[in-house]
mmCIF file of all heavy atoms in Angstrom:
data_model
loop_
_atom_site.group_PDB
_atom_site.id
_atom_site.type_symbol
_atom_site.label_atom_id
_atom_site.label_comp_id
_atom_site.label_asym_id
_atom_site.label_seq_id
_atom_site.Cartn_x
_atom_site.Cartn_y
_atom_site.Cartn_z
ATOM 1 N N SER A 16 114.718 128.238 111.498
ATOM 2 C CA SER A 16 113.363 127.773 111.832
ATOM 3 C C SER A 16 113.193 126.292 111.531
ATOM 4 O O SER A 16 112.566 125.563 112.290
ATOM 5 C CB SER A 16 112.322 128.597 111.073
ATOM 6 O OG SER A 16 112.343 128.232 109.719
ATOM 7 N N CYS A 20 112.315 123.381 114.243
ATOM 8 C CA CYS A 20 111.258 122.366 114.123
ATOM 9 C C CYS A 20 111.820 120.990 114.452
ATOM 10 O O CYS A 20 111.242 120.229 115.198
ATOM 11 C CB CYS A 20 110.702 122.328 112.705
ATOM 12 S SG CYS A 20 109.769 123.789 112.313
ATOM 13 N N ASP A 24 111.303 118.238 117.983
ATOM 14 C CA ASP A 24 110.994 116.829 117.935
ATOM 15 C C ASP A 24 111.841 116.002 118.874
ATOM 16 O O ASP A 24 111.354 115.187 119.617
ATOM 17 C CB ASP A 24 111.225 116.318 116.505
ATOM 18 C CG ASP A 24 109.902 116.210 115.792
ATOM 19 O OD1 ASP A 24 108.891 116.255 116.488
ATOM 20 O OD2 ASP A 24 109.903 116.093 114.571
ATOM 21 N N ASN A 39 111.117 103.087 122.114
ATOM 22 C CA ASN A 39 111.489 102.155 121.061
ATOM 23 C C ASN A 39 111.546 102.894 119.747
ATOM 24 O O ASN A 39 110.553 103.390 119.263
ATOM 25 C CB ASN A 39 110.409 101.064 120.998
ATOM 26 C CG ASN A 39 110.775 100.013 120.014
ATOM 27 O OD1 ASN A 39 111.672 100.207 119.181
ATOM 28 N ND2 ASN A 39 110.109 98.896 120.088
ATOM 29 N N ASN A 40 112.706 102.971 119.184
ATOM 30 C CA ASN A 40 112.830 103.702 117.929
ATOM 31 C C ASN A 40 112.929 102.806 116.716
ATOM 32 O O ASN A 40 113.510 103.158 115.716
ATOM 33 C CB ASN A 40 114.027 104.637 117.994
ATOM 34 C CG ASN A 40 113.614 105.979 118.572
ATOM 35 O OD1 ASN A 40 112.555 106.487 118.232
ATOM 36 N ND2 ASN A 40 114.423 106.513 119.451
ATOM 37 N N SER A 58 94.525 97.521 116.751
ATOM 38 C CA SER A 58 94.598 98.757 117.514
ATOM 39 C C SER A 58 94.380 98.447 118.993
ATOM 40 O O SER A 58 94.221 97.290 119.375
ATOM 41 C CB SER A 58 93.549 99.727 117.007
ATOM 42 O OG SER A 58 92.286 99.126 117.091
ATOM 43 N N LEU A 151 78.803 92.798 136.203
ATOM 44 C CA LEU A 151 79.842 93.018 135.205
ATOM 45 C C LEU A 151 79.243 93.011 133.802
ATOM 46 O O LEU A 151 79.683 93.751 132.941
ATOM 47 C CB LEU A 151 80.930 91.939 135.322
ATOM 48 C CG LEU A 151 82.269 92.326 134.719
ATOM 49 C CD1 LEU A 151 82.913 93.437 135.541
ATOM 50 C CD2 LEU A 151 83.210 91.143 134.630
ATOM 51 N N ALA A 226 89.402 100.619 137.651
ATOM 52 C CA ALA A 226 90.346 100.982 136.595
ATOM 53 C C ALA A 226 91.615 100.129 136.650
ATOM 54 O O ALA A 226 92.617 100.464 136.022
ATOM 55 C CB ALA A 226 90.701 102.456 136.697
ATOM 56 N N HIS A 247 98.902 104.529 125.737
ATOM 57 C CA HIS A 247 97.627 104.319 125.048
ATOM 58 C C HIS A 247 97.730 104.623 123.563
ATOM 59 O O HIS A 247 98.355 105.587 123.160
ATOM 60 C CB HIS A 247 96.529 105.129 125.720
ATOM 61 C CG HIS A 247 96.143 104.545 127.052
ATOM 62 N ND1 HIS A 247 95.474 103.348 127.151
ATOM 63 C CD2 HIS A 247 96.389 104.942 128.302
ATOM 64 C CE1 HIS A 247 95.299 103.063 128.424
ATOM 65 N NE2 HIS A 247 95.848 104.012 129.150
ATOM 66 N N ASN A 248 97.115 103.739 122.785
ATOM 67 C CA ASN A 248 97.098 103.843 121.318
ATOM 68 C C ASN A 248 98.481 103.740 120.708
ATOM 69 O O ASN A 248 98.671 104.057 119.538
ATOM 70 C CB ASN A 248 96.442 105.140 120.847
ATOM 71 C CG ASN A 248 94.965 105.129 121.137
ATOM 72 O OD1 ASN A 248 94.341 104.075 121.054
ATOM 73 N ND2 ASN A 248 94.425 106.268 121.475
ATOM 74 N N SER A 249 99.452 103.326 121.486
ATOM 75 C CA SER A 249 100.805 103.313 120.976
ATOM 76 C C SER A 249 101.452 101.939 121.167
ATOM 77 O O SER A 249 101.679 101.221 120.206
ATOM 78 C CB SER A 249 101.585 104.410 121.693
ATOM 79 O OG SER A 249 102.910 104.371 121.325
ATOM 80 N N ASN A 280 100.197 100.631 107.335
ATOM 81 C CA ASN A 280 101.233 101.020 108.291
ATOM 82 C C ASN A 280 101.910 99.786 108.890
ATOM 83 O O ASN A 280 103.124 99.733 109.054
ATOM 84 C CB ASN A 280 100.612 101.888 109.390
ATOM 85 C CG ASN A 280 101.661 102.480 110.303
ATOM 86 O OD1 ASN A 280 102.100 101.808 111.236
ATOM 87 N ND2 ASN A 280 102.093 103.682 110.023
ATOM 88 N N THR A 283 104.381 98.417 106.350
ATOM 89 C CA THR A 283 105.581 99.247 106.271
ATOM 90 C C THR A 283 106.534 98.900 107.410
ATOM 91 O O THR A 283 107.734 98.726 107.214
ATOM 92 C CB THR A 283 105.200 100.739 106.351
ATOM 93 O OG1 THR A 283 104.196 100.986 105.392
ATOM 94 C CG2 THR A 283 106.389 101.618 106.082
ATOM 95 N N GLU A 475 77.438 101.817 107.734
ATOM 96 C CA GLU A 475 78.501 101.894 108.740
ATOM 97 C C GLU A 475 78.278 100.769 109.755
ATOM 98 O O GLU A 475 77.148 100.375 110.018
ATOM 99 C CB GLU A 475 78.426 103.299 109.351
ATOM 100 C CG GLU A 475 79.285 103.573 110.529
ATOM 101 C CD GLU A 475 78.586 103.293 111.843
ATOM 102 O OE1 GLU A 475 77.340 103.188 111.866
ATOM 103 O OE2 GLU A 475 79.292 103.140 112.838
ATOM 104 N N ASN A 477 78.118 99.901 113.014
ATOM 105 C CA ASN A 477 77.150 99.793 114.098
ATOM 106 C C ASN A 477 75.713 99.860 113.579
ATOM 107 O O ASN A 477 74.823 99.119 114.034
ATOM 108 C CB ASN A 477 77.411 100.920 115.114
ATOM 109 C CG ASN A 477 76.948 100.554 116.501
ATOM 110 O OD1 ASN A 477 75.775 100.246 116.709
ATOM 111 N ND2 ASN A 477 77.846 100.584 117.464
ATOM 112 N N THR A 478 75.495 100.709 112.582
ATOM 113 C CA THR A 478 74.171 100.811 111.961
ATOM 114 C C THR A 478 73.822 99.486 111.286
ATOM 115 O O THR A 478 72.704 98.973 111.396
ATOM 116 C CB THR A 478 74.162 101.920 110.892
ATOM 117 O OG1 THR A 478 74.697 103.104 111.478
ATOM 118 C CG2 THR A 478 72.771 102.186 110.369
ATOM 119 N N ARG A 483 70.751 94.559 110.577
ATOM 120 C CA ARG A 483 70.760 93.121 110.326
ATOM 121 C C ARG A 483 70.067 92.380 111.462
ATOM 122 O O ARG A 483 69.301 91.436 111.240
ATOM 123 C CB ARG A 483 72.210 92.660 110.174
ATOM 124 C CG ARG A 483 72.362 91.307 109.557
ATOM 125 C CD ARG A 483 73.807 90.985 109.310
ATOM 126 N NE ARG A 483 74.532 90.821 110.563
ATOM 127 C CZ ARG A 483 75.850 90.607 110.644
ATOM 128 N NH1 ARG A 483 76.576 90.543 109.557
ATOM 129 N NH2 ARG A 483 76.440 90.466 111.804
ATOM 130 N N LEU A 496 82.634 83.671 113.916
ATOM 131 C CA LEU A 496 83.842 83.015 114.420
ATOM 132 C C LEU A 496 83.486 82.346 115.740
ATOM 133 O O LEU A 496 82.908 82.980 116.625
ATOM 134 C CB LEU A 496 84.950 84.046 114.646
ATOM 135 C CG LEU A 496 85.625 84.581 113.381
ATOM 136 C CD1 LEU A 496 86.380 85.852 113.686
ATOM 137 C CD2 LEU A 496 86.556 83.546 112.772
ATOM 138 N N ASP A 498 83.926 80.453 119.423
ATOM 139 C CA ASP A 498 84.766 80.690 120.596
ATOM 140 C C ASP A 498 85.340 79.399 121.154
ATOM 141 O O ASP A 498 86.190 79.418 122.022
ATOM 142 C CB ASP A 498 83.949 81.378 121.686
ATOM 143 C CG ASP A 498 83.415 82.701 121.199
ATOM 144 O OD1 ASP A 498 84.190 83.435 120.576
ATOM 145 O OD2 ASP A 498 82.231 82.988 121.423
ATOM 146 N N ASN A 515 71.437 86.530 118.067
ATOM 147 C CA ASN A 515 72.268 86.464 116.864
ATOM 148 C C ASN A 515 71.521 85.881 115.672
ATOM 149 O O ASN A 515 72.117 85.606 114.640
ATOM 150 C CB ASN A 515 73.517 85.631 117.135
ATOM 151 C CG ASN A 515 74.461 86.354 118.058
ATOM 152 O OD1 ASN A 515 74.810 87.503 117.815
ATOM 153 N ND2 ASN A 515 74.846 85.706 119.141
ATOM 154 N N GLY B 36 71.765 101.915 116.161
ATOM 155 C CA GLY B 36 72.849 101.192 116.822
ATOM 156 C C GLY B 36 72.978 101.643 118.265
ATOM 157 O O GLY B 36 72.206 102.466 118.736
ATOM 158 N N GLY B 37 73.943 101.080 118.960
ATOM 159 C CA GLY B 37 74.148 101.445 120.352
ATOM 160 C C GLY B 37 75.475 100.950 120.845
ATOM 161 O O GLY B 37 76.129 100.163 120.169
ATOM 162 N N GLU B 42 79.010 92.097 117.137
ATOM 163 C CA GLU B 42 78.761 90.991 116.213
ATOM 164 C C GLU B 42 78.124 89.831 116.963
ATOM 165 O O GLU B 42 77.206 89.196 116.491
ATOM 166 C CB GLU B 42 80.089 90.557 115.586
ATOM 167 C CG GLU B 42 79.939 89.413 114.619
ATOM 168 C CD GLU B 42 80.149 89.832 113.174
ATOM 169 O OE1 GLU B 42 81.220 90.400 112.904
ATOM 170 O OE2 GLU B 42 79.271 89.601 112.345
ATOM 171 N N LYS B 43 78.656 89.571 118.176
ATOM 172 C CA LYS B 43 78.061 88.522 119.002
ATOM 173 C C LYS B 43 77.139 89.193 120.000
ATOM 174 O O LYS B 43 77.587 89.797 120.965
ATOM 175 C CB LYS B 43 79.164 87.744 119.702
ATOM 176 C CG LYS B 43 79.996 87.017 118.672
ATOM 177 C CD LYS B 43 80.949 86.020 119.221
ATOM 178 C CE LYS B 43 81.540 85.260 118.040
ATOM 179 N NZ LYS B 43 82.728 84.527 118.364
ATOM 180 N N ALA B 44 75.863 89.107 119.722
ATOM 181 C CA ALA B 44 74.896 89.852 120.513
ATOM 182 C C ALA B 44 74.902 89.399 121.967
ATOM 183 O O ALA B 44 74.953 88.199 122.253
ATOM 184 C CB ALA B 44 73.513 89.658 119.916
ATOM 185 N N ARG B 86 86.361 99.990 129.182
ATOM 186 C CA ARG B 86 85.847 99.969 130.554
ATOM 187 C C ARG B 86 86.956 100.172 131.565
ATOM 188 O O ARG B 86 88.029 99.608 131.465
ATOM 189 C CB ARG B 86 85.055 98.695 130.784
ATOM 190 C CG ARG B 86 83.708 98.812 130.059
ATOM 191 C CD ARG B 86 82.862 97.607 130.184
ATOM 192 N NE ARG B 86 82.404 97.364 131.548
ATOM 193 C CZ ARG B 86 81.600 96.342 131.836
ATOM 194 N NH1 ARG B 86 81.199 95.541 130.895
ATOM 195 N NH2 ARG B 86 81.217 96.140 133.064
ATOM 196 N N GLY B 87 86.658 101.032 132.537
ATOM 197 C CA GLY B 87 87.642 101.358 133.552
ATOM 198 C C GLY B 87 88.365 102.663 133.261
ATOM 199 O O GLY B 87 89.085 103.176 134.100
ATOM 200 N N ARG B 88 88.177 103.213 132.061
ATOM 201 C CA ARG B 88 88.856 104.470 131.734
ATOM 202 C C ARG B 88 87.850 105.611 131.667
ATOM 203 O O ARG B 88 86.750 105.447 131.166
ATOM 204 C CB ARG B 88 89.564 104.366 130.380
ATOM 205 C CG ARG B 88 90.775 103.471 130.399
ATOM 206 C CD ARG B 88 91.563 103.608 129.100
ATOM 207 N NE ARG B 88 92.398 104.801 129.098
ATOM 208 C CZ ARG B 88 92.987 105.285 127.994
ATOM 209 N NH1 ARG B 88 92.807 104.684 126.851
ATOM 210 N NH2 ARG B 88 93.732 106.365 128.061
ATOM 211 N N CYS B 111 105.841 125.359 112.124
ATOM 212 C CA CYS B 111 106.690 125.147 110.947
ATOM 213 C C CYS B 111 106.044 125.775 109.713
ATOM 214 O O CYS B 111 106.718 126.452 108.934
ATOM 215 C CB CYS B 111 106.897 123.657 110.695
ATOM 216 S SG CYS B 111 107.982 122.886 111.883
ATOM 217 N N VAL B 114 106.336 129.691 109.899
ATOM 218 C CA VAL B 114 107.701 130.209 109.691
ATOM 219 C C VAL B 114 108.141 129.969 108.252
ATOM 220 O O VAL B 114 108.568 130.899 107.547
ATOM 221 C CB VAL B 114 108.680 129.541 110.685
ATOM 222 C CG1 VAL B 114 110.107 129.955 110.359
ATOM 223 C CG2 VAL B 114 108.320 129.917 112.101
ATOM 224 N N VAL B 160 110.325 103.324 103.996
ATOM 225 C CA VAL B 160 110.518 102.017 103.357
ATOM 226 C C VAL B 160 111.774 101.994 102.495
ATOM 227 O O VAL B 160 112.700 101.232 102.761
ATOM 228 C CB VAL B 160 109.286 101.624 102.517
ATOM 229 C CG1 VAL B 160 109.480 100.249 101.911
ATOM 230 C CG2 VAL B 160 108.025 101.647 103.371
ATOM 231 N N ALA B 167 108.065 104.348 110.616
ATOM 232 C CA ALA B 167 106.769 104.501 109.958
ATOM 233 C C ALA B 167 105.659 104.722 110.970
ATOM 234 O O ALA B 167 104.562 105.115 110.604
ATOM 235 C CB ALA B 167 106.456 103.261 109.132
ATOM 236 N N THR B 170 104.577 106.567 117.004
ATOM 237 C CA THR B 170 104.486 106.366 118.442
ATOM 238 C C THR B 170 105.716 106.918 119.151
ATOM 239 O O THR B 170 105.734 107.047 120.348
ATOM 240 C CB THR B 170 104.356 104.872 118.772
ATOM 241 O OG1 THR B 170 105.422 104.194 118.101
ATOM 242 C CG2 THR B 170 103.051 104.317 118.278
ATOM 243 N N THR B 171 106.763 107.215 118.388
ATOM 244 C CA THR B 171 107.977 107.715 119.019
ATOM 245 C C THR B 171 108.228 109.151 118.568
ATOM 246 O O THR B 171 107.567 109.649 117.668
ATOM 247 C CB THR B 171 109.177 106.859 118.601
ATOM 248 O OG1 THR B 171 109.250 106.898 117.177
ATOM 249 C CG2 THR B 171 109.028 105.441 119.048
ATOM 250 N N SER B 173 110.904 110.523 117.025
ATOM 251 C CA SER B 173 111.382 110.657 115.651
ATOM 252 C C SER B 173 110.288 110.268 114.666
ATOM 253 O O SER B 173 110.295 110.687 113.516
ATOM 254 C CB SER B 173 112.627 109.798 115.441
ATOM 255 O OG SER B 173 112.347 108.460 115.775
ATOM 256 N N ILE B 176 108.321 113.190 112.874
ATOM 257 C CA ILE B 176 108.880 114.053 111.820
ATOM 258 C C ILE B 176 108.041 113.974 110.551
ATOM 259 O O ILE B 176 107.605 114.995 110.023
ATOM 260 C CB ILE B 176 110.347 113.668 111.536
ATOM 261 C CG1 ILE B 176 111.190 113.960 112.778
ATOM 262 C CG2 ILE B 176 110.876 114.444 110.335
ATOM 263 C CD1 ILE B 176 112.636 113.529 112.679
ATOM 264 N N ILE B 254 97.497 107.503 108.970
ATOM 265 C CA ILE B 254 98.555 107.017 108.076
ATOM 266 C C ILE B 254 99.808 106.637 108.863
ATOM 267 O O ILE B 254 100.418 105.612 108.623
ATOM 268 C CB ILE B 254 98.907 108.087 107.021
ATOM 269 C CG1 ILE B 254 97.711 108.349 106.114
ATOM 270 C CG2 ILE B 254 100.116 107.659 106.193
ATOM 271 C CD1 ILE B 254 97.914 109.471 105.136
ATOM 272 N N ARG B 262 92.019 109.094 116.327
ATOM 273 C CA ARG B 262 91.535 107.724 116.306
ATOM 274 C C ARG B 262 90.406 107.530 117.311
ATOM 275 O O ARG B 262 89.396 106.889 117.017
ATOM 276 C CB ARG B 262 92.702 106.784 116.622
ATOM 277 C CG ARG B 262 92.342 105.357 116.507
ATOM 278 C CD ARG B 262 93.457 104.444 116.954
ATOM 279 N NE ARG B 262 92.866 103.142 117.193
ATOM 280 C CZ ARG B 262 92.333 102.787 118.344
ATOM 281 N NH1 ARG B 262 92.360 103.606 119.359
ATOM 282 N NH2 ARG B 262 91.782 101.605 118.482
ATOM 283 N N THR B 269 81.984 105.121 115.735
ATOM 284 C CA THR B 269 81.678 103.757 115.284
ATOM 285 C C THR B 269 81.176 102.910 116.456
ATOM 286 O O THR B 269 80.269 102.114 116.307
ATOM 287 C CB THR B 269 82.938 103.100 114.702
ATOM 288 O OG1 THR B 269 83.549 104.037 113.840
ATOM 289 C CG2 THR B 269 82.609 101.855 113.939
ATOM 290 N N ARG B 271 79.684 103.953 119.101
ATOM 291 C CA ARG B 271 78.585 104.603 119.836
ATOM 292 C C ARG B 271 78.965 104.759 121.313
ATOM 293 O O ARG B 271 78.146 104.520 122.199
ATOM 294 C CB ARG B 271 77.290 103.789 119.736
ATOM 295 C CG ARG B 271 76.840 103.472 118.339
ATOM 296 C CD ARG B 271 76.329 104.695 117.590
ATOM 297 N NE ARG B 271 75.711 104.309 116.342
ATOM 298 C CZ ARG B 271 76.378 104.181 115.185
ATOM 299 N NH1 ARG B 271 77.665 104.435 115.145
ATOM 300 N NH2 ARG B 271 75.748 103.822 114.095
#
Side-chain angles (χ1 to χ4, degrees):
Chain A
S16 73
C20 291
D24 259 345
N39 184 345
N40 272 319
S58 57
L151 201 68
H247 288 290
N248 291 325
S249 175
N280 188 277
T283 308
E475 172 269 343
N477 206 302
T478 309
R483 196 174 68 184
L496 286 163
D498 300 316
N515 290 308
Chain B
E42 180 109 55
K43 295 191 172 164
R86 286 178 66 178
R88 289 190 80 193
C111 288
V114 173
V160 182
T170 52
T171 57
S173 56
I176 295 175
I254 296 174
R262 185 186 163 273
T269 314
R271 305 289 189 271

